[in-house]
Amino acid sequence: MSRAFDASVVGAGPNGLAAAVVLARAGLRVQVLERAATIGGGTRTAELTLPGFRHDICSAVHPMAMASGFFRRWGLEQRVEMIVPEVSYAHPVDGGTAGVAYRDLDRTVEGLGVDGATWRRMFGRLVELEDEISQFTLSPILQVPRHPGAVVEFGLRILAQGGPWWDAGLETREARALLAGVMAHAIRPMPSLSASAAGLTLAVHGHGRGWALPRGGSQSIADALAADLVAHGGVIETDSEVTDLGQLDADVALLDVTPRQLISIAGDRLPAGYRRRLERFRYGGGASKVDFALSGPVPWSVQELAASPTVHLGGDRADVARAEHDVARGRHSDDPFVLVVQPSVVDDTRAPAGQHSLWAYAHVPSGSTRDMTEVITAQIERFAPGFRELVLASHSFSADELEEHDPNYIGGDIASGAPSLTQLVARPVLSTDPWRTPAKGVYLASSSVPPGPSVHGMGGAYAARSALRHEFGITTLPALGPDRKATA
Ligand SMILES: Cc1cc2nc3c(=O)[nH]c(=O)nc-3n(C[C@H](O)[C@H](O)[C@H](O)COP(=O)(O)OP(=O)(O)OC[C@H]3O[C@@H](n4cnc5c(N)ncnc54)[C@H](O)[C@@H]3O)c2cc1C
């Protein structure tokens, strides 16, 4: 039977759109079906609070997009204005001091006092190896590394910060907290190898390509991908939930969903053994999100924080580790780790003149139904007395509401599958081609496949590469760049 499309992509998140772009650029007729009313998945931006305040609903800061091989070949920075701040992230501790990670390593070292030399030893060489490290972290883990020397150096640093011996390095509260905050992004127990790997990766980019914010919000990334797709003949339909592969008008399907939805959508087409392996895939702790419209800038006790789009809150390293331990045990912490992003300090499109938008989430147990507005407000107030008086309006998503917003965030798990060491290797199953399922023509193209969570589009691009090879006999990737000359 002739089909209207060569391939259907289910889900218009960054991975789904990246997959669709690669397929369309290869000359295929591509359709994208998205259940929500708007495209973007975890890269949507909306006026959640008041008119003129543009809030990133999910992702806000993009070190991994800047490092992504897919986005670099596609020319992200030529299509979207990526604002790279001077301060990558900062972490205040009680008593009016803070650790600050400037993009400039020397400036960071200077600010960290007695720990400066240790910070340089930890990151100096890794920052020089940033591209080699990205090549490794954003590749299928079972592939032979292209730069084994860099991988060994990186692995040794991960080991040094990934166990109970992590106390052996840094001495000051500020430097320890600074490193703990970046490790906490993984929503994993700390110390652990998985938190260490995630933290060091992000920290290296913090002193390298930077922690960029797209002008206009993360939606700018989704819109640019969609524009390129449409320019190459692709079709996007919103308000189109796919519950069964029979709905698709193509023989090849790439699903930007997690294993749980894959089981439900593909049903009996998946062999029982593979389904059982998918059922063993574990989802991680959750995030509970609050967005604020503010009448003015946050009155941080530490002046440097005013220029840092990303601020980590939760106190000393031991406090952060304790809070993450609670979440891993399925408990709400009394003093949770809170990630804050204040995009309007670098991007004037996010709030009316003189006013500010603030994005924040706390780590909570999977499936939490708690509205964390008060807890997050108190945590910010602790390091910025007077914050509360600036709040004009706020909007909250509990962890379970995040799943309603986007079903890929099961129980509020923003990684679409716990990024444990095991599940970074077997994601969702151990395979040299984990994007290709045993069902004919069915591929998984989300952050539940390698290289895992974050906005980098690589999961989608790898799934498209596999589908091109196995379904269409195309072994050379198409040109992706805006000038159409670059080859992948
Ligand atoms: C609160 C929060 C903060 C985050 N912060 C950051 C950050 O600052 N930086 C960063 O890099 N990453 C961040 N992330 C993670 C990042 O958003 C994700 O890793 C990324 O969006 C994953 O992309 P994806 O395409 O795999 O899935 P998603 O972006 O989740 O997209 C999946 C899409 O598929 C659609 N869909 C699902 N099922 C169906 C179906 N059956 N039929 C049709 N459509 C369907 C969904 O509606 C959605 O649009 C954050 C996530 C959250 C939730």
Side-chain angles (χ1 to χ4, degrees):
M1 192 173 67
S2 96
R3 304 287 217 148
F5 299 97
D6 298 310
S8 286
V9 175
V10 176
N15 278 314
L17 290 171
V21 161
V22 173
L23 297 173
R25 291 282 193 131
L28 302 184
R29 295 166 304 154
V30 182
Q31 173 196 39
V32 178
L33 296 170
E34 166 56 53
R35 75 184 268 282
T38 50
I39 62 155
T43 49
R44 279 174 277 176
T45 307
E47 289 183 339
L48 292 174
T49 54
L50 297 173
F53 290 87
R54 288 182 56 72
H55 304 281
D56 282 325
I57 302 173
C58 299
S59 64
V61 183
H62 294 284
M64 301 313 292
M66 299 293 279
S68 155
F70 165 75
F71 275 132
R72 280 159 63 190
R73 283 197 291 266
W74 181 69
L76 174 66
E77 290 179 78
Q78 287 155 270
R79 301 169 192 265
V80 176
E81 186 186 340
M82 299 297 285
I83 303 169
V84 184
E86 278 183 36
V87 187
S88 292
Y89 55 98
H91 191 128
V93 292
D94 294 312
T97 55
V100 181
Y102 294 94
R103 189 169 174 216
D104 180 344
L105 181 63
D106 292 338
R107 199 168 161 197
T108 310
V109 164
E110 206 176 298
L112 289 177
V114 295
D115 276 328
T118 309
W119 196 269
R120 189 188 297 286
R121 265 198 307 281
M122 225 181 255
F123 290 112
R125 177 73 184 132
L126 295 186
V127 174
E128 285 169 16
L129 295 172
E130 182 184 20
D131 285 348
E132 288 82 354
I133 290 172
S134 302
Q135 206 283 321
F136 171 65
T137 54
L138 291 174
S139 290
I141 203 120
L142 291 184
Q143 214 172 59
V144 178
R146 261 196 244 159
H147 309 282
V151 172
V152 170
E153 288 208 36
F154 186 49
L156 290 174
R157 300 291 201 294
I158 291 171
L159 268 178
Q161 294 300 326
W165 48 86
W166 68 339
D167 272 335
L170 300 163
E171 289 173 25
T172 62
R173 294 166 65 207
E174 292 80 4
R176 286 180 169 191
L178 191 63
L179 196 54
V182 79
M183 285 182 186
H185 280 242
I187 323 189
R188 298 289 305 151
M190 291 167 55
S192 65
L193 290 175
S194 50
S196 175
L200 295 194
T201 301
L202 291 170
V204 167
H205 296 317
H207 298 303
R209 293 180 183 276
W211 282 29
L213 292 87
R215 188 167 177 80
S218 296
Q219 187 76 50
S220 309
I221 298 179
D223 290 349
L225 283 166
D228 191 42
L229 172 62
V230 170
H232 289 85
V235 174
I236 304 176
E237 286 177 36
T238 52
D239 292 311
S240 302
E241 179 161 16
V242 174
T243 53
D244 189 304
L245 288 177
Q247 287 168 250
L248 306 180
D249 202 358
D251 289 328
V252 175
L254 287 84
L255 309 184
D256 184 0
V257 304
T258 87
R260 194 175 291 178
Q261 297 120 287
L262 172 63
I263 292 171
S264 140
I265 294 171
D268 291 345
R269 284 182 58 177
L270 298 174
Y274 180 75
R275 256 198 339 252
R276 274 197 299 278
R277 288 162 78 197
L278 292 184
E279 279 159 3
R280 287 199 287 271
F281 189 69
R282 291 284 158 257
Y283 295 92
S288 175
K289 172 97 190 310
V290 183
D291 288 282
F292 296 91
L294 305 177
S295 60
V298 180
W300 298 108
S301 313
V302 180
Q303 182 52 37
E304 284 89 338
L305 270 54
S308 181
T310 303
V311 181
H312 299 145
L313 303 180
D316 287 359
R317 183 172 71 177
D319 303 328
V320 174
R322 212 167 15 249
E324 293 305 284
H325 181 81
D326 281 340
V327 170
R329 293 282 168 282
R331 294 192 295 256
H332 284 93
S333 165
D334 298 332
D335 184 17
F337 178 74
V338 173
L339 228 160
V340 169
V341 177
Q342 29 181 17
S344 47
V345 302
V346 290
D347 180 1
D348 61 9
T349 68
R350 309 294 188 95
Q355 303 187 318
H356 285 272
S357 59
L358 188 135
W359 167 116
Y361 68 73
H363 291 172
V364 293
S366 172
S368 166
T369 55
R370 266 193 212 176
D371 176 341
M372 296 292 279
T373 307
E374 183 46 41
V375 176
I376 289 177
T377 303
Q379 196 67 296
I380 300 174
E381 183 80 24
R382 172 175 162 196
F383 301 100
F387 168 76
R388 194 184 288 278
E389 281 78 66
L390 300 176
V391 177
L392 300 172
S394 67
H395 174 282
S396 146
F397 275 114
S398 64
D400 75 326
E401 286 166 343
L402 262 185
E403 182 179 337
E404 274 168 40
H405 168 72
D406 182 335
N408 284 25
Y409 304 130
I410 292 187
D413 171 8
I414 71 171
S416 301
S420 62
L421 221 49
T422 326
Q423 288 203 158
L424 286 177
V425 180
R427 194 167 182 89
V429 298
L430 192 64
S431 165
T432 50
D433 189 351
W435 310 277
R436 189 181 182 200
T437 79
K440 167 98 190 89
V442 180
Y443 292 78
L444 198 51
S446 69
S447 49
S448 302
V449 281
S454 294
V455 175
H456 43 59
M458 297 292 291
Y462 281 126
R465 184 182 72 174
S466 182
L468 284 176
R469 179 179 304 149
H470 294 108
E471 310 299 331
F472 303 98
I474 300 173
T475 51
T476 310
L477 283 178
L480 294 175
D483 55 5
R484 298 190 57 93
K485 279 193 229 103
T487 45

